[in-house]
Amino acid sequence: DQERVLERPRSFNDEALPAGNAVTSRALMQLGWLLGEPRYLEAAEETLKAGFDTLQNAPLAHASLASALQDYLQPPELVILRGSEASLSELMRGLKGYQPDRLVFPIPDDVTNLPPALQAKPAKGILTAYLCQGLSCNAPITDRDRILEHLRSED
């Protein structure tokens, strides 16, 4: 019974909960980096562009959008861990604390039907860490102690 909406409002300001557009933008960026999908990164960028004027005019009301913009300008480190479920579980138990500049994705090596970007990062029967920034990754690390040392570091 309602009238047709001429324009859907897009809210970028935080209220009791973070702004949905800001949360969506961050999620799209993380998916884009993890899966190597430019379309997700482009959608995140478009969302940030749409909210940029409101962010500039009232930055304190748009903390989540500012945080998403920070991630866009300086992507957090992405750590893709591959290995047996047991080795990943053990490794993850040894980690403590939240590190906002690092995203860790443990993926058991027996998982099938992975997207191509993740299939290109195999474990080959040994615990392996791929350290990435944005869409570029360093050579994989297979030394468990080096992986733990890196994950426990705060830089």
Side-chain angles (χ1 to χ4, degrees):
D1 299 21
Q2 288 184 317
E3 293 181 29
R4 205 169 139 204
V5 178
L6 296 177
E7 180 182 326
R8 292 198 185 278
R10 294 192 298 184
S11 176
F12 293 99
N13 60 309
D14 296 328
E15 293 183 19
L17 296 172
N21 283 305
V23 172
T24 300
S25 182
R26 288 184 91 179
L28 286 168
M29 280 186 274
Q30 291 174 10
L31 270 174
W33 296 321
L34 182 65
L35 303 177
E37 284 285 346
R39 63 189 168 137
Y40 295 138
L41 297 171
E42 290 164 7
E45 182 179 355
E46 290 303 314
T47 302
L48 291 171
K49 283 180 184 177
F52 189 71
D53 287 340
T54 60
L55 173 61
Q56 278 189 306
N57 292 333
L60 294 177
H62 298 85
S64 297
L65 193 62
S67 182
L69 180 60
Q70 173 75 21
D71 282 356
Y72 176 76
L73 297 173
Q74 295 175 337
E77 178 186 48
L78 198 72
V79 180
I80 300 167
L81 298 172
R82 300 297 313 271
S84 70
E85 198 163 334
S87 66
L88 292 174
S89 247
E90 179 186 338
L91 185 72
M92 295 304 289
R93 272 195 305 270
L95 302 180
K96 292 186 175 121
Y98 169 67
Q99 295 179 334
D101 295 331
R102 179 177 293 147
L103 302 169
V104 180
F105 293 95
I107 303 170
D109 56 6
D110 60 353
V111 173
T112 58
N113 298 326
L114 289 171
L118 294 175
Q119 281 181 339
K121 295 173 178 67
K124 297 181 183 173
I126 187 168
L127 181 64
T128 306
Y130 294 88
L131 310 179
C132 307
Q133 193 84 30
L135 293 173
S136 62
C137 297
N138 296 329
I141 301 172
T142 55
D143 180 278
R144 185 184 182 286
D145 291 335
R146 277 189 57 214
I147 294 170
L148 259 176
E149 180 183 324
H150 181 79
L151 290 174
R152 288 180 177 159
S153 71
E154 294 190 22
D155 49 322

